[in-house]
Structures are given as structure tokens and as C-alpha cells.
């Protein structure tokens, strides 16, 4: 085999390997369970649905959150004992968050609804957001993003963090956390700029 053919063969193998790895890129769901004061709680968490053919997705507790990863695109149902159920749509490699609030007169759920637009623009840049509760711990809740007075998208903060994919622009972001605490931040993303992380320090 000539050197030229060897190089072509190696490039073909590398390209196939990269394509295979891309095929196995999956999304995940982060499930955050809190009490009415916003403190993390342990609970029985299950996830079902999707069309991966691999049975019920495995849920693992990581720190203060529960995670189901390696998920193919599709619709899933997340259930927490004593907290009800929530529908979560997984698409691409983005994390999806959902928050269950236990205790009080009625359990609550913070999740993207069918009419919400997720912050996962296909051609957007990844922006990592972290939300701190008033007492200093990591919070859980919702971020709503606007351009001017127009709503753009929303994301769920689970385990203190949310991943947003945004196109260049000037944004106003409002975070509201379980148990109290809110904050507003302005974020400017320029074209060809490396996004900087965003921190919400609520009060």
C-alpha cells in the first residue's frame, strides 16, 4: 500500500469513528427534588418513555439531583413518589431539567410546558448558568429569557445549573427559585465570542 493510500485509509477510519461517536451522543434529564423551603430532598424517582428500545431509563443520584442520561430523542415521563409526574422532551445533547417540590398543601412541579420554547437554538452558543439561593446554596427553579419585551425561551435550573444555547444578541434573564429568591441579569452575546458563564445570585 502506498503512503497516499494509507493516509486516505486512516482518514476514512477516523471519519467513521467520529461519525459513530456522534451517533451515540445522547441527552439527559436532571431531576431536582426540593421541599417547600427549597432544600434538596431524597425521593423515589423513575423515568419512562422514549423509543430507545432499551427498557426503562436508569436513574442515578448524583450529588443532590437525580440523573437519567444516555437518552435518545423523544418524550419521557418523570415521576416522583408523592410529587406527581411531568412530561419532558429530550432532543439532542442538551440537558433537560425538571424540579419537584414536595410538602405543603399541594406538590409543585417546575418544568417546561407544551407552549414553552426551550433555550436550545440549533445554531446557538452554549451558555452555562448557575443559580445561587438566598441562603447561599445552589438553587432550583426557572429562567425566562427576553429580548427587549419579547420572550425568547426558558430553561429549568436543576442542581443549581442550567445549560442554554443562544444566538448572538442582548438578553434580559429572570431567574425565580423554589423556596423564594429571584434575580435579573443582562447578558450580551456577540458573534464569534466565547460565551462567558452566567451567575444568578438571588435574594
Amino acid at each position: 500500500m502506498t503512503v497516499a493510500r494509507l493516509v486516505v485509509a486512516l482518514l476514512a477510519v477516523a471519519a467513521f469513528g467520529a461519525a459513530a461517536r456522534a451517533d451515540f451522543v445522547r441527552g439527559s434529564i436532571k431531576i431536582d427534588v426540593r421541599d417547600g423551603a427549597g432544600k434538596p430532598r431524597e425521593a423515589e424517582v423513575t423515568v419512562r418513555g422514549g423509543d430507545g428500545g432499551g427498557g426503562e431509563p436508569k436513574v442515578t443520584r448524583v450529588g443532590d439531583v437525580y440523573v437519567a442520561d444516555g437518552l435518545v430523542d423523544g418524550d419521557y415521563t418523570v415521576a416522583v413518589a408523592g410529587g406527581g409526574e411531568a412530561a419532558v422532551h429530550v432532543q439532542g445533547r442538551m440537558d433537560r431539567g425538571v424540579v419537584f417540590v414536595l410538602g405543603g398543601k399541594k406538590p409543585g412541579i417546575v418544568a417546561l410546558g407544551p407552549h414553552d420554547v426551550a433555550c436550545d437554538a440549533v445554531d446557538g452558543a452554549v451558555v452555562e448558568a448557575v443559580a445561587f439561593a438566598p441562603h447561599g446554596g445552589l438553587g432550583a427553579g426557572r429562567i425566562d429569557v427576553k429580548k427587549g419585551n419579547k420572550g425568547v425561551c426558558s430553561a429549568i435550573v436543576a442542581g443549581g445549573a442550567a445549560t442554554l444555547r443562544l444566538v448572538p444578541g442582548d438578553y434580559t434573564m429572570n431567574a425565580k427559585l423554589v423556596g423564594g429568591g429571584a434575580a435579573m441579569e443582562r447578558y450580551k452575546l456577540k458573534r464569534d465570542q466565547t460565551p462567558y458563564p452566567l451567575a444568578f445570585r438571588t435574594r
Side-chain angles (χ1 to χ4, degrees):
M1 180 181 290
T2 66
V3 173
R5 288 183 178 180
L6 179 59
V7 170
V8 170
L10 290 173
L11 289 174
V13 171
F16 175 81
R21 286 192 299 273
D23 288 342
F24 286 100
V25 171
R26 297 291 185 258
S28 63
I29 301 174
K30 294 193 301 182
I31 305 113
D32 198 326
V33 184
R34 305 271 172 149
D35 63 17
K39 295 181 180 179
R41 284 189 53 171
E42 293 187 10
E44 181 182 341
V45 179
T46 56
V47 176
R48 63 181 187 272
D51 54 4
E56 188 173 279
K58 181 180 179 181
V59 178
T60 305
R61 186 170 173 86
V62 181
D64 288 331
V65 297
Y66 297 85
V67 179
D69 59 10
L71 305 178
V72 298
D73 291 3
D75 295 313
Y76 295 81
T77 299
V78 180
V80 171
E85 299 182 345
V88 179
H89 180 71
V90 172
Q91 184 171 353
R93 64 186 70 187
M94 296 289 287
D95 291 337
R96 297 294 194 197
V98 58
V99 182
F100 289 81
V101 184
L102 304 183
K105 295 181 179 180
K106 183 179 180 182
I109 299 174
V110 183
L112 295 182
H115 300 296
D116 288 320
V117 177
C119 295
D120 61 355
V122 175
D123 54 348
V126 173
V127 176
E128 301 292 350
V130 179
F132 296 95
H135 54 73
L138 294 173
R142 178 182 173 112
I143 298 173
D144 291 306
V145 181
K146 292 184 177 182
K147 268 187 178 180
N149 294 322
K150 183 180 180 181
V152 175
C153 62
S154 300
I156 303 302
V157 178
T163 301
L164 298 78
R165 195 184 297 273
L166 302 172
V167 298
D170 294 326
Y171 297 97
T172 300
M173 303 186 186
N174 291 283
K176 186 175 181 181
L177 304 184
V178 172
M184 186 273 286
E185 295 288 341
R186 299 189 184 279
Y187 192 91
K188 186 172 185 178
L189 181 61
K190 298 180 180 179
R191 193 170 301 278
D192 299 324
Q193 170 194 359
T194 300
Y196 57 90
L198 179 64
F200 291 93
R201 300 188 182 278
T202 63
R203 55 183 181 178

